[in-house]
Amino acid sequence: MMIPVRCFTCGTVIGEHWEEFKARAREGEEDPAEVLDELGIHRHCCRRMMISHTDLVDVVSPYQ
Ligand SMILES: [Zn+2]
């Protein structure tokens, strides 16, 4: 699935940061904690949204 637009717990908009986080921390070599700090995502409820997300939209979309 796609990343939720807002954090489930506090409602902060986090979806806008997903592409940069994915490029730098998942596909790149940077430390995820440092990337989240630079993106301004400081609450642990928001950080877990980015850390624990799995992009399944391309896997699931053919079956809809
Ligand atoms: Zn949050």
Side-chain angles (χ1 to χ4, degrees):
M1 297 294 110
M2 290 184 288
I3 184 107
V5 175
R6 289 177 179 269
C7 172
F8 290 145
T9 303
C10 71
T12 300
V13 177
I14 48 144
E16 61 187 353
H17 300 302
W18 171 246
E19 290 298 328
E20 184 175 350
F21 177 79
K22 186 169 76 167
R24 291 172 62 184
R26 295 285 182 90
E27 295 157 6
E29 299 290 317
E30 293 183 64
D31 181 17
E34 289 174 12
V35 175
L36 287 170
D37 286 340
E38 285 178 30
L39 291 172
I41 302 173
H42 298 295
R43 294 190 190 97
H44 63 260
C45 60
C46 304
R47 292 169 82 96
R48 63 96 202 257
M49 300 290 290
M50 305 290 267
I51 296 291
S52 62
H53 181 68
T54 304
D55 245 345
L56 291 177
V57 67
D58 294 332
V59 176
V60 176
S61 59
Y63 302 103
Q64 290 179 349

